[in-house]
C-alpha cells in the first residue's frame, strides 16, 4: 500500500497535536508542583483563601403554612467562602524554621490550629405543586462565621494545598468548631390569598465538622474536602399555627413569633463535598467542583417545614497573601 | 470517642424527618380525608357553627365518608366535597377546581337582594355626571347630599384619592356611602375609608387565631382599633347602605362605621364572613379556602352571620317601578 500525501499530512498533524498536548500536560504538572512548593514556603497566617461556587440542582420544599404537600423544582445556588488561619489557641514558641516557616513543629500548641471561615450562600428555586397546577418560589441568603479547630496534627507528607485549614502539606485533616449563621429567606405560593408567603429568618449557633484529604492521581494533586454543619441552638421567626401576617405586622399582635430553635425542633444539616484541582503554575488558583446538600427542617408552632436541596457546584478557589 | 457527640447529633438529625402528614394519594378517598382533616385542624368557627347550626364535624365525616369511593370521577367527588363544606354555611369556605368553584352563598342567595344596579346608574348618571377616585364613584345629588358608591375593596384605596374626593364633597349636607353588593377585599382599604369618619381612636373589635389543631385552640383576644385618618375627615352625618351581599372586609367596614359618630347603617343585614380566609390544597391540586382568623365586634360577639342595620329598609317593588331606590331615598330623608 502506498502512502498518499494526504496520509502523510494527516499523520504529521496528529503528531503535532500529540506533542502540543504532552507539552501542555507537562507544563500543567510542573506548574502544580511549583505551586505547592511556593505554598509551603509562605507564612500560613497571611494567607486567605477565597472560593466562589455556582451550581444548580433540585429542591424539595414543604411548608404546611402554605400547603400540606411538597413542592419540587429546580434550584440555583451561589456560594462564597473564605478561610483564614488565625492565632486563636496558638502558643507561639518562637521556633522559626530555616525555610522561613515558623510553624514547622508538629507539637501541640506550637502551630496555629483555628481557621476562621465566612460563608455567603444564596439560593433560589422555582417550584411546582405535586398536581402541577400551582407554582411557588423559595429562596434566601445565609451568612455564617465559623471557627474550625484542627484536631489532627500537621504532618508534611503531601504536596498540595488542602485549601481550608492550612496551606501546609498534610494528607488528612479533621477539624470541628462552631459557626454563627443567619438566614433570611421566603417561600411563596402563587395561589394562596391571605397566606401567600412564609418568611424564613433564623440566627443559629451551628456545629461544624470538616475533613480534607489530599492525594495524587496520574501525577496530579487533588484535595477532597467535606464539611457537615448542624444547626444547634438559636432563635427563629415563625408565625403561630393559624396566625396571619396581617395580625403580626399590621396590627402588631405578636404571638410566639420568636421561637427558641434547636436541633430537636429544627433537625437540619448542610453538607458540602468538594474536590480541588490546582490549575496553573503561579495563579494559586484551583478548580473546585462538588456537591452542596442542604436539609433544613423545622417544626415551629406546629407548622412543618422542610427544604431539601441537592446542587452540583463548580467554581474556583484562590489563595491570597495579605500584605 | 471524642467525636461521639457529633456522631450522635448527626444520627439524631438524620433520623428526624419532617414530612407530609396528610393523606397524599390522589384518590377520591385520600382527597376526601385530606379535605376533612384540613378543615378539622384549621377551620376557626367549629364551636360557633356547632352552637348556631348544630354542625358536628365528626358526624359530618361519617355521613360523607359513606358517599365516597375510589371509583368516583372528579365531578362526583367535587359535588360530594362541596356538599360537605356547605354544612358550614360559610362564604369563605370554597373548593377550587379547574372546572368549578365550590361555594355556599346562602348568606345572600336566601335573602332579598335589596339592590338594583340600573337604579344606582340612574342616581350616578352618565358620562361625566359622576367622578371616580380609586374605584369610588361619587356625585352630588340634587338635594346637596353626596352619594359615594363603593362596590369593592379588592383594590387599594389611596389616601390621596380619598382626600381629593372629600374635598370635592365638603359642601354637601350629608353623605351616603353605598356598599351594597360589595363582597369585600382588602381590610386595609376598608379601614382606610372608615378612618375618615371618626376623630377619635375607636375600639372596633377583637381578633384571634388558631394556635393548634384542636377546635378550641385559640390565642387570646387582641383588641383592634380604628385610628382617625390624618387627612380630611367627614364631620357631617353619613349613612351607610347595606344588603346581604356586604361580605368579608365590607362586613368589617360596616362594623367599624357603626361605631363612628354621626354614621347610620341603613338597609338589610350584612352577609357576614368575619373569618379571614387562608388557602391550602388537596393531593389532586384543588384549592381549599377556609376561615382561619376570627374577628369579633367590640362586644366580643361574632359577626360571622352578619351585622344588623340601625335602620332596616328594603327595596320596594313600588319604588323600583318609580325608578327610585328605596334605600337611597330613605338615606336622603335621614340626611336632610
Amino acid at each position: 500500500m502506498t502512502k498518499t500525501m494526504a496520509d502523510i499530512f494527516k499523520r504529521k498533524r496528529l503528531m503535532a497535536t500529540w506533542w502540543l498536548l504532552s507539552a501542555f500536560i507537562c507544563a500543567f504538572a510542573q506548574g502544580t508542583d511549583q505551586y505547592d512548593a511556593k505554598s509551603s514556603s509562605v507564612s500560613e497566617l497571611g494567607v486567605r483563601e477565597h472560593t466562589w461556587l455556582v451550581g444548580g440542582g433540585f429542591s424539595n420544599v414543604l411548608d404546611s403554612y402554605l400547603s400540606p404537600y411538597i413542592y419540587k423544582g429546580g434550584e440555583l445556588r451561589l456560594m462564597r467562602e473564605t478561610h483564614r488561619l488565625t492565632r486563636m489557641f496558638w502558643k507561639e514558641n518562637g521556633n522559626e524554621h530555616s525555610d522561613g516557616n515558623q510553624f514547622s513543629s508538629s507539637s501541640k500548641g506550637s502551630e496555629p490550629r483555628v481557621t476562621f471561615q465566612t460563608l455567603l450562600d444564596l439560593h433560589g428555586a422555582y417550584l411546582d405543586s405535586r398536581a402541577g397546577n400551582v407554582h411557588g418560589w423559595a429562596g434566601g441568603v445565609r451568612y455564617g462565621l465559623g471557627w474550625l479547630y484542627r484536631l489532627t496534627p500537621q504532618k508534611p507528607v503531601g504536596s498540595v494545598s488542602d485549601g481550608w485549614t492550612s496551606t501546609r502539606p498534610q494528607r488528612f485533616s479533621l477539624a470541628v468548631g462552631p459557626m454563627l449563621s443567619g438566614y433570611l429567606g421566603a417561600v411563596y405560593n402563587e395561589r394562596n390569598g391571605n397566606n401567600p408567603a412564609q418568611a424564613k429568618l433564623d440566627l443559629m449557633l451551628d456545629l461544624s465538622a470538616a475533613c480534607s484529604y489530599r492525594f495524587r492521581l496520574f501525577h496530579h494533586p487533588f484535595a477532597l474536602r467535606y464539611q457537615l454543619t448542624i444547626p444547634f441552638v438559636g432563635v427563629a421567626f415563625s408565625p403561630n399555627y393559624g396566625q396571619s401576617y396581617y395580625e403580626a405586622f399590621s396590627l402588631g399582635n405578636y404571638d410566639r413569633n420568636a421561637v427558641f430553635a434547636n436541633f430537636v425542633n429544627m433537625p437540619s444539616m448542610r453538607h458540602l463535598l468538594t474536590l480541588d484541582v490546582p490549575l496553573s503554575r503561579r495563579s494559586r488558583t484551583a478548580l473546585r467542583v462538588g456537591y452542596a446538600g442542604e436539609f433544613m427542617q423545622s417544626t415551629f408552632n406546629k407548622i412543618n417545614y422542610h427544604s431539601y436541596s441537592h446542587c452540583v457546584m463548580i467554581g474556583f478557589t484562590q489563595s491570597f497573601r495579605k500584605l | 470517642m471524642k467525636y461521639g457527640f457529633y456522631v450522635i447529633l448527626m444520627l439524631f438529625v438524620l433520623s428526624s424527618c419532617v414530612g407530609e402528614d396528610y393523606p397524599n394519594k390522589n384518590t377520591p378517598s385520600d382527597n376526601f380525608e385530606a379535605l376533612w382533616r384540613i378543615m378539622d385542624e384549621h377551620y376557626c368557627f367549629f364551636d360557633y357553627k356547632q352552637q348556631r347550626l348544630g354542625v358536628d364535624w365528626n358526624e359530618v365525616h361519617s355521613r360523607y365518608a359513606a358517599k365516597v369511593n375510589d371509583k368516583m370521577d372528579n365531578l362526583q367527588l367535587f359535588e360530594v366535597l362541596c356538599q360537605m363544606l356547605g354544612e358550614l354555611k360559610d362564604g369563605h369556605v370554597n373548593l377550587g377546581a379547574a372546572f368549578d368553584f365550590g361555594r355556599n352563598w346562602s348568606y345572600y342567595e336566601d335573602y332579598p337582594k335589596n339592590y338594583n344596579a340600573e337604579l344606582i346608574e340612574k342616581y350616578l348618571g352618565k358620562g361625566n355626571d359622576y367622578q371616580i377616585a380609586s374605584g369610588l364613584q361619587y356625585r352630588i345629588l340634587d338635594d346637596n347630599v353626596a352619594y359615594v358608591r363603593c362596590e369593592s375593596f379588592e383594590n387599594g384605596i389611596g389616601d390621596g384619592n380619598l382626600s381629593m374626593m372629600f374635598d370635592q364633597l365638603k359642601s354637601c349636607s350629608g353623605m351616603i356611602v353605598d356598599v351594597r353588593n360589595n363582597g369585600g377585599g382588602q381590610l386595609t382599604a376598608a379601614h382606610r375609608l372608615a378612618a375618615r369618619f371618626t376623630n377619635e381612636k375607636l375600639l372596633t373589635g377583637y381578633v384571634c387565631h388558631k394556635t393548634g389543631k384542636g377546635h378550641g385552640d385559640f390565642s387570646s383576644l387582641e383588641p383592634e382599633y380604628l385610628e382617625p385618618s390624618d387627612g380630611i375627615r367627614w364631620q357631617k352625618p353619613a349613612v351607610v347602605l347595606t344588603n346581604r351581599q356586604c361580605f368579608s372586609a365590607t362586613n368589617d367596614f360596616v362594623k367599624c362605621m357603626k361605631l363612628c359618630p354621626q354614621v347610620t347603617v341603613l338597609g338589610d343585614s350584612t352577609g357576614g364572613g368575619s373569618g379571614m380566609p387562608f388557602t391550602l390544597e388537596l393531593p389532586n391540586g384543588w384549592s381549599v379556602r377556609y376561615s382561619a382568623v376570627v374577628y369579633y365586634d367590640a362586644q366580643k360577639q361574632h359577626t360571622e352571620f352578619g351585622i344588623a342595620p340601625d335602620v332596616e329598609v328594603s327595596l320596594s317593588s313600588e319604588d323600583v317601578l318609580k325608578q327610585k331606590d328605596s334605600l337611597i331615598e330613605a338615606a336622603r330623608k335621614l340626611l336632610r
Side-chain angles (χ1 to χ4, degrees):
Chain A
M1 184 181 290
T2 56
K3 288 182 182 175
T4 63
M5 289 297 286
D7 288 336
I8 292 167
F9 281 125
K10 189 176 179 182
R11 182 170 176 160
K12 282 188 176 177
R13 271 206 307 271
L14 278 171
M15 289 292 287
T17 307
W18 168 248
W19 280 110
L20 277 172
L21 195 60
S22 301
F24 177 78
I25 290 170
C26 290
F28 179 73
Q30 194 178 5
T32 54
D33 285 340
Q34 291 197 5
Y35 165 81
D36 297 331
K38 186 177 180 183
S39 67
S40 66
S41 67
V42 298
S43 168
E44 300 169 35
L45 284 168
V47 175
R48 292 165 187 265
E49 184 188 272
H50 290 203
T51 305
W52 284 95
L53 293 173
V54 293
F58 301 98
S59 188
N60 174 318
V61 177
L62 168 74
D63 193 316
S64 64
Y65 187 80
L66 307 176
S67 168
Y69 300 108
I70 287 168
Y71 279 52
K72 294 179 183 176
E75 181 172 75
L76 293 174
R77 188 171 284 271
L78 173 69
M79 296 175 81
R80 182 181 185 274
E81 274 190 298
T82 67
H83 292 92
R84 167 170 70 81
L85 206 58
T86 72
R87 296 174 186 273
M88 205 177 285
F89 300 120
W90 177 47
K91 296 175 187 172
E92 192 172 9
N93 58 11
N95 286 343
E96 191 161 346
H97 202 268
S98 58
D99 64 357
N101 189 339
Q102 61 183 17
F103 313 115
S104 298
S105 171
S106 62
S107 63
K108 191 174 183 179
S110 63
E111 58 195 19
R113 282 175 172 262
V114 177
T115 299
F116 177 66
Q117 176 186 20
T118 67
L119 170 71
L120 178 68
D121 184 3
L122 293 96
H123 69 104
Y126 183 64
L127 307 163
D128 287 321
S129 68
R130 59 187 300 147
N133 60 340
V134 182
H135 304 294
W137 297 85
V141 56
R142 178 177 299 283
Y143 187 73
L145 304 173
W147 292 265
L148 289 167
Y149 182 84
R150 193 178 62 246
L151 299 170
T152 48
Q154 284 199 328
K155 294 174 185 172
V157 295
S159 63
V160 66
S161 164
D162 67 5
W164 58 279
T165 56
S166 158
T167 53
R168 289 285 310 278
Q170 187 180 13
R171 188 175 295 280
F172 178 76
S173 289
L174 177 65
V176 295
M179 175 180 273
L180 282 174
S181 73
Y183 181 76
L184 176 65
V187 185
Y188 174 69
N189 185 302
E190 289 181 350
R191 177 165 64 184
N192 294 358
N194 289 311
N195 57 328
Q198 176 78 298
K200 296 291 169 192
L201 179 67
D202 66 53
L203 187 63
M204 299 295 295
L205 172 67
D206 305 332
L207 297 180
S208 200
C211 60
S212 75
Y213 180 72
R214 289 175 315 287
F215 58 96
R216 279 185 166 269
L217 198 63
F218 306 116
H219 305 292
H220 284 81
F222 294 87
L224 197 60
R225 177 182 181 248
Y226 170 71
Q227 183 167 4
L228 168 68
T229 305
I230 296 177
F232 191 58
V233 291
V235 63
F237 165 81
S238 172
N240 210 324
Y241 183 69
Q243 186 185 21
S244 63
Y245 278 71
Y246 175 74
E247 287 176 271
F249 296 111
S250 293
L251 302 180
N253 298 340
Y254 302 107
D255 183 17
R256 298 179 187 179
N257 298 129
V259 183
F260 172 66
N262 54 68
F263 65 94
V264 177
N265 61 11
M266 190 179 170
S268 307
M269 52 190 167
R270 305 192 295 273
H271 305 265
L272 183 61
L273 175 67
T274 56
L275 177 69
D276 288 359
V277 183
L279 280 182
S280 62
R281 182 178 294 184
R282 293 190 179 86
S283 69
R284 304 182 64 80
T285 301
L287 175 71
R288 178 170 285 189
V289 293
Y291 160 80
E294 198 173 80
F295 301 83
M296 303 306 293
Q297 304 183 118
S298 66
T299 303
F300 300 143
N301 294 329
K302 303 179 186 73
I303 295 170
N304 290 337
Y305 166 75
H306 81 221
S307 172
Y308 303 149
S309 161
H310 308 273
C311 286
V312 174
M313 310 296 292
I314 186 166
F316 291 93
T317 180
Q318 283 184 301
S319 296
F320 298 95
R321 182 163 175 75
K322 187 183 176 184
L323 297 175
Chain B
M1 283 301 290
K2 60 181 171 183
Y3 313 129
F5 176 72
Y6 279 89
V7 173
I8 291 169
L9 187 62
M10 196 175 81
L11 287 176
F12 176 83
V13 171
L14 279 171
S15 64
S16 305
C17 187
V18 178
E20 295 174 342
D21 63 351
Y22 280 79
N24 58 10
K25 290 178 192 157
N26 185 11
T27 60
S29 53
D30 264 23
N31 281 303
F32 167 77
E33 291 297 339
L35 176 62
W36 186 86
R37 267 194 60 193
I38 284 172
M39 296 301 292
D40 185 55
E41 295 173 359
H42 294 86
Y43 186 62
C44 66
F45 285 126
F46 276 123
D47 287 345
Y48 182 59
K49 294 293 166 85
Q50 184 155 30
Q51 183 192 329
R52 285 287 301 264
L53 306 172
V55 175
D56 177 348
W57 197 238
N58 288 317
E59 182 276 330
V60 166
H61 179 274
S62 52
R63 189 149 41 93
Y64 283 90
K67 298 180 180 181
V68 174
N69 63 71
D70 285 346
K71 292 177 182 172
M72 300 174 88
D73 63 25
N74 275 344
L75 289 174
Q76 291 168 327
L77 178 66
F78 190 83
E79 187 180 341
V80 172
L81 298 186
C82 287
Q83 283 173 4
M84 181 173 80
L85 295 179
E87 299 272 349
L88 298 167
K89 294 191 185 306
D90 187 335
H92 277 144
V93 171
N94 306 105
L95 189 63
F99 55 84
D100 202 359
F101 183 70
R103 72 274 176 190
N104 184 302
W105 288 344
S106 58
Y107 67 88
Y108 75 86
E109 287 174 342
D110 295 349
Y111 298 91
K113 290 191 181 305
N114 288 313
Y115 174 83
N116 186 312
E118 286 182 16
L119 290 182
I120 288 176
E121 285 174 15
K122 294 269 181 197
Y123 284 89
L124 279 173
K126 292 178 180 175
N128 293 321
D129 290 345
Y130 64 95
Q131 291 164 279
I132 303 173
S134 225
L136 300 170
Q137 301 164 320
Y138 64 97
R139 75 170 295 186
I140 300 172
L141 302 178
D142 298 340
D143 50 359
N144 199 34
V145 168
Y147 176 74
V148 179
R149 170 73 185 138
C150 175
E151 52 188 13
S152 175
F153 289 116
E154 286 289 343
N155 301 311
I157 297 176
D159 264 326
N161 298 100
L162 283 178
S163 287
M164 294 297 281
M165 183 186 80
F166 278 95
D167 189 51
Q168 295 265 322
L169 302 174
K170 64 187 174 192
S171 61
C172 294
S173 56
M175 180 183 285
I176 298 170
V177 182
D178 189 348
V179 291
R180 286 176 293 173
N181 276 38
N182 183 333
Q186 299 178 21
L187 266 178
T188 47
H191 290 174
R192 190 166 288 158
L193 180 57
R196 299 284 174 158
F197 294 88
T198 180
N199 296 320
E200 294 175 358
K201 182 180 177 181
L202 295 175
L203 172 69
T204 57
Y206 295 85
V207 60
C208 69
H209 52 260
K210 290 204 71 183
T211 55
K213 296 176 179 177
H215 290 187
D217 294 343
F218 285 99
S219 63
S220 57
L221 296 183
E222 296 292 340
E224 190 185 16
Y225 296 97
L226 181 68
E227 300 271 359
S229 169
D230 293 335
I232 300 173
R233 293 192 294 271
W234 190 252
Q235 306 295 329
K236 298 173 189 174
V239 175
V240 178
L241 304 186
T242 57
N243 70 349
R244 282 279 173 178
Q245 275 190 263
C246 295
F247 191 71
S248 191
T250 309
N251 190 65
D252 208 78
F253 172 74
V254 174
K255 182 183 83 179
C256 295
M257 290 294 279
K258 212 172 172 183
L259 296 166
C260 294
Q262 302 203 71
V263 173
T264 304
V265 177
L266 185 146
D268 197 359
S269 285
T270 61
S274 63
M276 178 188 280
F278 275 19
T279 308
L280 291 175
E281 67 186 309
L282 301 183
N284 61 4
W286 293 352
S287 67
V288 182
R289 200 165 77 126
Y290 60 91
S291 298
V293 177
V294 188
Y295 283 82
Y296 294 90
D297 66 12
Q299 287 74 45
K300 298 183 180 177
Q301 299 299 308
H302 283 287
T303 60
E304 166 68 359
F305 287 121
I307 298 167
D310 297 318
V311 179
E312 199 165 326
V313 177
S314 299
L315 185 65
S316 73
S317 49
E318 293 83 9
D319 280 345
V320 175
L321 285 173
K322 291 180 207 167
Q323 295 287 289
K324 296 286 183 188
D325 188 307
S326 311
L327 283 79
I328 294 177
E329 292 304 321
R332 293 172 81 173
K333 276 183 193 171
L334 268 179
L335 293 170
R336 273 176 208 145

